[in-house]
Amino acid sequence: MARQRSTRSTATGEAPLELSRLSRRAFSALAGTTVLGLALGGSVSSQALPGSGARGPVPTGPPPGPPGADGVRHRVALDRYSLLVDGRRLALWSGEMHPFRLPSPSLWRDVLQKMRAYGYNAVSVRLAWNQHSPAPGAYDFTGVRDLDLFLRTAAETRMYVVLRPGPYIGADVDAGGLPGWLTAAEGRARTLDAAYLRHADEWLSRVNAVAARHQYTRGEGTVLLYRVDAPRRARLTRLHDRLRADGVDVPLLHTDTPAPWGEVERTRDAAEARRVHLDHLGRGITLHNVHTAFGGTSWGWLPAPSAPTPTYDPTAAIDEGRRPTDKLAPLHQLGQLLRHIPDFTRLEEASDVRAGDPRIQVRHLANPDTGTHAYVLRNDSATGVTSKVPMGGTDVEVTVPAHDAKLLATGLHLGAGRKLAYATVQPMLSFSVGRLDIAAFVGRAGEMAHLVLDCPHEPWPTRLDEEAAWAYDHGKLHVTVPLEENRLTRVRVRSGKSDRTLLLLFADDAASLRLWPYETPSGRVLVHGPALLRDVALDGATIRLTGDTVEECPLEVWAPRGITDVTWNGDAVSTTASRAHSLLATWLLPGVPELVLPALDGWRRRTENPESRPGYDDSGWTVADRRTSYSTTPVPDGQPVLFADDYGFHYGDVWYRGRLSGATGLEELSLAYSTGARGMLMAWLDGEPLGTHRMDREADGTGTWTATARFRLPGGLRRALRREPREGPGTGDSPVLSVLVRRTQHDHDAYKAARGLTSVAFEGASPKVRWRIQGAAAPDPVRGPLNHGGLFGERHGWHLPGYDDGRWESVSLPRADRRQGVTWYRTAFRLDVPPDVDASVGLVLGDDRDRDYRAQVFLNGWNMGEYAVDPTGAPHTFVLPNGILRTRAAANTLALAVLAGGDTASGPGTVRLKLLGGAAGGVPVTPVTSPGPRR
C-alpha cells in the first residue's frame, strides 16, 4: 500500500525520511484497526462511527469542526488512513512555526490567523530548551517564552497543535536547542546516560505541566499530538512512561509510529512545493507538515553554525516579515481541499494509469466509500508536457508544466445530485452555503480549464463572467474557462430536478489567494477579494468580517440565509445581491495608506575594549585554572582548561586575560581557538594590538571551526620584554596578554566541542600564565540568556534603551574606521504608523564587500542578530518585529556593536529603515517589555 511509509522531502523533493520500522505485513494487518500502544497512548476510539455497530475502517464523512477549548472531552485515534477525532476522519495540514523566532507574543496571533486563513488546520511547534533554561534547574516560561499564552492563542484561533519539545529539536538552533550549560555538564545527550536523562526529564516535566492543561482530549485546549525526540526504542519506552506520568495522554508521534507522516523541507518555488506535496498525497499520506510555514528570525545568539544568519528560512511561504509569498498558492489550495473535501482523508491505491507521454507519471487512488478517484500527475522534465490520461473512462488531454504537478479528480460529488466526470484543473473546495452548493477549481494562469459534470437531466447553466463557455451533450455539461491572471470566473448551474444551485468558481493561483472559506457555528462562509480574512462572526442579520487589505479591492460574500448586512473591520459596507447569490460590496475596500519611514541620523560613537589595557582591573573575573572538562575537545597537556563553556559563558563574545611570568625573550605566540561559523579572535599584549584572525568561511563538515592564530611580536614589544620587570601603579609586574574571541554557536551533533581559546604556545620564551576569563553577565531576566555576550558595552548596558550616551562623540554614517577592537554606535528614531495599519519594517545594513567586520544589532536592547559583510556585497535586512519595534509615535533605540580587526576599513556603512510591507488591518500589538539599565 502507498501509505505504509512516511517520506520527508528535501529542497529537491527526493531525500527519504527514516521509514517506519514496522514490516509491510504487520502494517497491513493493522488496516481497518486503530493503531494502539506507544504510537498513541491512551486516547483511542473504536473503528466505526459512534453508534454504527460496524467493524472495519471508519467510513468517509464530514470532518470534525474547528477545534477549541470547549470543555468537552474528545477521543483521538489513528488508523492507517488518517487521524480520527471523535470518530471522524481528519486530514492534518500542519505548518511549522517557532514561537521563539518571533519574540513578540502579540504577533503569534497574527501568524496563527494567517496560517488558518491559508488552509492550515494545525501548527507544529518546536520548543527550544535553551530559551527557557539559563542554568541547571532554572526555567522561565514568561514573556516571550510564555508557552501557556501561545497554546491559549492557538486555541483561540482554532488551530490544532502538534507539540515538539525535544529535548533536541534541530531546527538550526544553537546545539539543536540544548541549553548552553548542558555542554559543560556530565552525560551525553540523546542517549540513556543517567546524568543526561535527569536533566531531560526535568525539562520535559516542566513543558508537560503546561501542555497537559491544553490537551484537546480533555477539552482544555487544542494540543492534538505530541512528537517526541526518541532516537532509540529504549528511550521511547521510557519517554512514554514519563509523559503518561505527567498527564500527557494525546497520541505520540515518533520515528517508529506506524502512520503516514509526511514532512516537506524547504522548496525553491511554488511549482516544487506543489510537486512534493502532491507526491505525498499520491502516496496516501494524510498527516502533512510544511516545514516551515513561517520562518521567523534567529535573533540574538540563537542560530546554529548550519544557518548563522538571522533569517531562518528564506524559502518559507510566510516570510520573516509575516508577509505572504508566491509559494503560498499551492499550500493554500491543498489545505482548503483537505479541510473541505473529506474524500481525500481515506484513499487507497487503485489500478495503474499511464499517460500517453511517459514523462508524466501518474498515481491513481480511490476512495472506497464515495467512489471519488484522485490522479496525481507529475512532470519532472524541463519542458511542459501535454498528453492524454485515462480518467473516469475518458481519455482526457492534460498539460502539466515543467517541474510541476497536478491533482485531478473524477466521481467527486459537488452538492445535491451533481457529480464531477472529470476536470483538467484541481479541486480546491466544495461545500454548501445555505441552499447554494459551491465548488472551486484552480490552475495556472494562461491555461484553459475544462470541467465536465454528469447531468442526467439537462441543466440551466448561466455564464456570470464573460470568460466562461458551456455546452451540454449526452448527459454531460462541458464548461471551459480560460484562466486569467488574478481573476475569478463564476458559472451558475441550476436544474429542474433540484432546488439547489451549484456555483462553479475558477481561479488561477493569484485569484485563489483571495478566496477565503470560513466555518462558523451557523454554517460555512466564503469571502472573495481582500488580502486576508482573519475572523467571521454572525450577528443576527449581520456578518462581521475582520481582515487585511493591501490595495483597493472588491468584497464578495457568500453567507448563510438571512444575512443581509456586512461590516468590514467594524465599518458598515454597502452591498447588493449578485447573480452569483452573493453580497457584493458597492465600493472597493480601501487599501493601506502610504507610509514614510524616517532617516537614521544623530549617531553617537564610543570605542571600548579597555580589557586590552595592561592596567585594567580584572580581579572580579573568573580564574581559569580547571584541569578537567566534559568537553569532547581534549585538554592540552600541561595547560588549564580555557574552554568558555566550562566557566559558564555559553553565548556571545568572551575575553581572556593572561599574566605572563618569565616572558623575557618572547618573540611569537600561537593561540589555538575553536568557534562556530564566522568566529574571530583579536589579541593584544600590554595594550598593543597583535592582530586579528578570522575563521575560514567554509565549514569543516562538523559545525566547528578550529584554527591557530600566530602573532609575531612587534619589535618594540620584544625589546620591552628584555628589560627588567616594570614597577609602578597600574602597570603590574608582568606583561598582560588580552584576547577577545567571538566564539559563536554550538554545533547540533558535536555540541560539546570547545568554544573559545583551547591552548596557547610561545616561541622565544616559556612563560607561566595565570588566566582569567570573562563572558556575558547574568542572563537578561526579560530578554533571556541568548541576548547578550561578554563585550564591555554589553556588560555595562550600552545596548539598552535609556542608557545616557550624551557624552559620546557625534558622528555620521557611513564610517571608514581602522581600529582593532570594539566600537559602539547609537541613535534613536520615532515611527508614527496609524493604529489600524500593520507595517512590517526592516533595518538594512550594507557595506563594501572588501571590508571584514562584525556588527551586532540591538533594537531597544533586543539582540536582532549579527551582520557580517557579504562576500558578494549584498546588504542584509534585519526584520524588526512590532512590539519590540515601537510603531505608534514612540522612541526606539538602535545600537550597533562593531568588531573590527584594523586590517581593513570598518563601518557601519549604509544603515537605513525599509518598509517591507504594510496592510490595513492587522492585530493589536502590545509593546514587548524592554527595560533599560539597572540603576
Side-chain angles (χ1 to χ4, degrees):
M1 299 299 293
R3 56 195 61 76
Q4 290 176 358
R5 61 179 62 193
S6 173
T7 61
R8 181 185 187 93
S9 298
T10 63
T12 61
E14 304 300 336
L17 180 69
E18 182 179 354
L19 302 180
S20 170
R21 296 173 191 159
L22 205 65
S23 71
R24 179 179 294 268
R25 178 177 297 176
F27 190 83
S28 298
L30 289 171
T33 62
T34 302
V35 179
L36 303 177
L38 289 176
L40 289 176
S43 300
V44 296
S45 66
S46 63
Q47 296 327 112
L49 287 170
S52 67
R55 298 293 300 170
V58 174
T60 304
D70 54 13
V72 177
R73 297 188 71 88
H74 297 277
R75 294 169 298 157
V76 181
L78 185 72
D79 67 10
R80 70 187 182 99
Y81 298 104
S82 70
L83 273 167
L84 300 170
V85 176
D86 294 330
R88 295 185 176 189
R89 294 201 173 278
L90 174 71
L92 195 76
W93 186 252
S94 169
E96 187 160 312
M97 74 165 289
H98 305 153
F100 57 82
R101 283 195 161 103
L102 185 57
S104 178
S106 299
L107 297 184
W108 296 343
R109 183 178 301 274
D110 174 72
V111 173
L112 289 171
Q113 286 184 345
K114 287 174 177 172
M115 289 177 62
R116 183 194 62 192
Y118 285 117
Y120 296 101
N121 58 12
V123 56
S124 177
V125 181
R126 302 194 202 202
L127 304 179
W129 185 2
N130 56 12
Q131 284 277 16
H132 296 270
S133 182
Y139 293 91
D140 186 355
F141 287 88
T142 65
V144 299
R145 296 163 294 278
D146 193 339
L147 175 60
D148 189 85
L149 174 61
F150 181 87
L151 296 179
R152 291 202 311 270
T153 305
E156 290 165 4
T157 54
R158 303 197 298 179
M159 294 282 283
Y160 291 113
V161 175
V162 180
L163 197 63
R164 187 174 180 179
Y168 171 87
I169 62 169
D172 289 332
V173 176
D174 183 283
L178 302 176
W181 55 262
L182 195 66
T183 65
E186 183 182 5
R188 182 183 173 191
R190 308 192 76 196
T191 69
L192 294 177
D193 185 292
Y196 164 72
L197 289 178
R198 283 195 300 272
H199 297 305
D201 286 352
E202 185 177 66
W203 157 246
L204 291 177
S205 292
R206 297 299 183 101
V207 172
N208 296 340
V210 180
R213 300 197 299 268
H214 295 271
Q215 295 181 95
Y216 189 63
T217 50
R218 301 183 183 184
E220 298 173 348
T222 55
V223 175
L224 184 72
L225 299 170
Y226 191 112
R227 192 170 179 185
V228 298
D229 170 36
R232 304 185 184 194
R233 166 63 70 174
R235 171 72 173 140
L236 175 61
T237 302
R238 193 176 185 282
L239 265 175
H240 175 270
D241 295 341
R242 169 78 271 162
L243 295 173
R244 296 308 179 232
D246 288 342
V248 175
D249 59 16
V250 296
L252 308 183
L253 294 177
H254 48 82
T255 55
D256 282 335
T257 299
W261 173 266
E263 184 168 82
V264 172
E265 294 285 1
R266 299 171 180 178
T267 52
R268 290 184 295 266
D269 52 31
E272 186 180 29
R274 182 165 35 244
R275 191 171 75 248
V276 295
H277 282 291
L278 286 181
D279 184 67
H280 281 185
L281 189 69
R283 296 176 187 274
I285 291 172
T286 58
L287 299 184
H288 302 265
N289 189 56
V290 179
H291 177 81
T292 51
F294 166 74
T297 302
S298 296
W299 57 282
W301 294 108
L302 183 64
S306 52
T309 63
T311 300
Y312 168 54
D313 184 357
T315 70
I318 301 175
D319 71 13
E320 191 180 1
R322 299 174 292 109
R323 301 168 301 167
T325 68
D326 292 340
K327 197 182 296 182
L328 263 173
L331 306 180
H332 178 60
Q333 295 159 8
L334 279 169
Q336 304 298 352
L337 176 139
L338 293 174
R339 176 181 291 179
H340 298 289
I341 305 181
D343 305 60
F344 293 91
T345 60
R346 186 188 174 199
L347 292 173
E348 294 182 345
E349 195 168 2
S351 59
D352 287 345
V353 170
R354 297 181 183 275
D357 191 315
R359 290 175 295 176
I360 295 181
Q361 306 167 46
V362 182
R363 280 187 176 272
H364 179 205
L365 302 101
N367 186 302
D369 303 319
T370 66
T372 296
H373 288 248
Y375 304 82
V376 175
L377 281 56
R378 175 169 171 161
N379 176 17
D380 292 334
S381 72
T383 59
V385 177
T386 299
S387 177
K388 293 289 185 67
V389 179
M391 293 193 303
T394 303
D395 286 343
V396 181
E397 187 173 89
V398 177
T399 299
V400 183
H403 301 298
D404 209 331
K406 279 190 172 182
L407 170 65
L408 305 179
T410 64
L412 183 65
H413 291 270
L414 304 178
R418 299 180 181 92
K419 188 166 67 173
L420 177 69
Y422 64 85
T424 63
V425 282
Q426 175 180 313
M428 175 177 165
L429 55 84
S430 177
F431 56 72
S432 299
V433 179
R435 292 183 178 177
L436 183 68
D437 298 326
I438 301 176
F441 292 83
V442 293
R444 312 293 84 73
E447 76 173 292
M448 179 66 73
H450 183 197
L451 180 144
V452 180
L453 289 179
D454 284 326
C455 296
H457 305 282
E458 185 169 358
W460 303 333
T462 302
R463 182 176 60 189
L464 304 180
D465 296 287
E466 292 299 320
E467 296 82 5
W470 61 270
Y472 181 71
D473 182 46
H474 293 88
K476 294 186 184 297
L477 176 67
H478 294 254
V479 180
T480 56
V481 175
L483 299 182
E484 297 187 6
E485 182 72 30
N486 201 18
R487 184 174 180 87
L488 186 69
T489 301
R490 308 158 184 80
V491 175
R492 190 180 67 201
V493 181
R494 292 176 176 168
S495 172
K497 297 295 183 179
S498 174
D499 63 349
R500 299 188 66 80
T501 297
L502 173 65
L503 181 67
L504 297 173
L505 304 177
F506 298 87
D508 75 320
D509 284 348
S512 74
L513 288 171
R514 298 293 181 268
L515 274 175
W516 307 108
Y518 196 97
E519 298 163 87
T520 76
S522 300
R524 286 185 170 93
V525 169
L526 182 64
V527 175
H528 170 247
L532 182 71
L533 180 70
R534 293 183 180 274
D535 205 1
V536 176
L538 302 183
D539 182 10
T542 301
I543 183 169
R544 304 189 184 278
L545 310 174
T546 58
D548 296 357
T549 59
V550 176
E551 300 172 341
E552 288 186 336
C553 63
L555 177 65
E556 188 171 14
V557 181
W558 289 272
R561 299 180 66 187
I563 298 296
T564 58
D565 300 311
V566 178
T567 68
W568 176 258
N569 288 344
D571 296 329
V573 177
S574 173
T575 62
T576 59
S578 77
R579 294 193 301 159
H581 297 278
S582 63
L583 295 174
L584 190 61
T586 307
W587 309 105
L588 296 177
L589 297 179
V592 64
E594 181 180 3
L595 300 174
V596 178
L597 302 180
L600 296 177
D601 51 22
W603 289 94
R604 292 183 175 274
R605 171 183 181 272
R606 184 176 177 182
T607 60
E608 57 136 282
N609 51 277
E611 300 94 336
S612 65
R613 295 194 287 267
Y616 179 81
D617 182 8
D618 60 16
S619 60
W621 289 21
T622 301
V623 175
D625 59 358
R626 296 188 178 186
R627 295 293 170 176
T628 60
S629 172
Y630 290 118
S631 172
T632 55
T633 301
V635 179
D637 291 340
Q639 295 195 33
V641 175
L642 296 177
F643 315 152
D645 287 299
D646 285 63
Y647 298 97
F649 305 122
H650 308 298
Y651 308 110
D653 303 291
V654 62
W655 275 98
Y656 296 85
R657 281 171 58 88
R659 295 190 179 274
L660 280 58
S661 301
T664 302
L666 180 62
E667 295 184 354
E668 185 175 303
L669 56 87
S670 299
L671 304 173
Y673 70 117
S674 175
T675 75
R678 293 178 174 173
M680 66 187 304
L681 175 148
M682 302 178 189
W684 294 260
L685 187 61
D686 275 353
E688 184 166 340
L690 298 180
T692 298
H693 187 278
R694 301 171 182 85
M695 290 292 182
D696 292 336
R697 295 183 185 274
E698 298 299 324
D700 65 357
T702 65
T704 292
W705 284 252
T706 58
T708 298
R710 293 180 173 85
F711 301 112
R712 185 163 180 80
L713 274 57
L717 268 178
R718 293 200 304 271
R719 289 190 294 271
L721 291 175
R722 296 190 187 103
R723 299 172 192 157
E724 294 296 323
R726 296 157 296 172
E727 297 180 359
T731 63
D733 60 358
S734 57
V736 177
L737 174 62
S738 301
V739 183
L740 174 61
V741 181
R742 173 143 288 191
R743 33 77 41 79
T744 63
Q745 318 92 341
H746 302 89
D747 182 41
H748 279 192
D749 298 321
Y751 73 102
K752 284 198 169 188
R755 291 296 182 263
L757 280 181
T758 54
S759 67
V760 181
F762 303 94
E763 291 187 17
S766 300
K768 294 182 180 180
V769 188
R770 292 169 292 160
W771 288 104
R772 290 183 182 268
I773 184 173
Q774 177 64 58
D780 189 310
V782 174
R783 301 173 180 92
L786 281 76
N787 192 71
H788 62 276
L791 297 180
F792 181 90
E794 290 175 302
R795 305 198 309 268
H796 291 80
W798 293 9
H799 60 301
L800 299 176
Y803 179 83
D804 184 5
D805 58 14
R807 295 185 179 182
W808 289 22
E809 174 190 8
S810 295
V811 296
S812 59
L813 301 184
R815 298 287 296 179
D817 293 341
R818 281 185 178 271
R819 174 182 180 272
Q820 177 174 295
V822 186
T823 306
W824 285 76
Y825 298 85
R826 285 172 55 98
T827 190
F829 63 92
R830 299 174 71 89
L831 300 179
D832 193 8
V833 178
D836 57 349
V837 170
D838 178 12
S840 180
V841 178
L843 179 74
V844 181
L845 273 69
D847 212 332
D848 189 324
R849 65 180 183 180
D850 294 330
R851 299 183 178 186
D852 193 349
Y853 62 88
R854 314 283 188 265
Q856 212 65 27
V857 179
F858 294 91
L859 175 67
N860 295 325
W862 291 84
N863 187 340
M864 294 289 101
E866 179 193 64
Y867 168 74
V869 179
D870 191 280
T872 67
H876 182 81
T877 299
F878 293 81
V879 175
L880 308 177
N882 296 345
I884 288 179
L885 177 68
R886 310 291 196 247
T887 61
R888 314 296 190 207
N892 294 277
T893 299
L894 179 63
L896 307 176
V898 177
L899 281 70
D903 46 357
T904 68
S906 67
T910 58
V911 183
R912 60 184 176 88
L913 297 174
K914 178 182 179 181
L915 182 64
L916 304 178
V923 298
V925 177
T926 301
V928 178
T929 303
S930 302
R934 296 179 181 177
R935 302 298 182 186

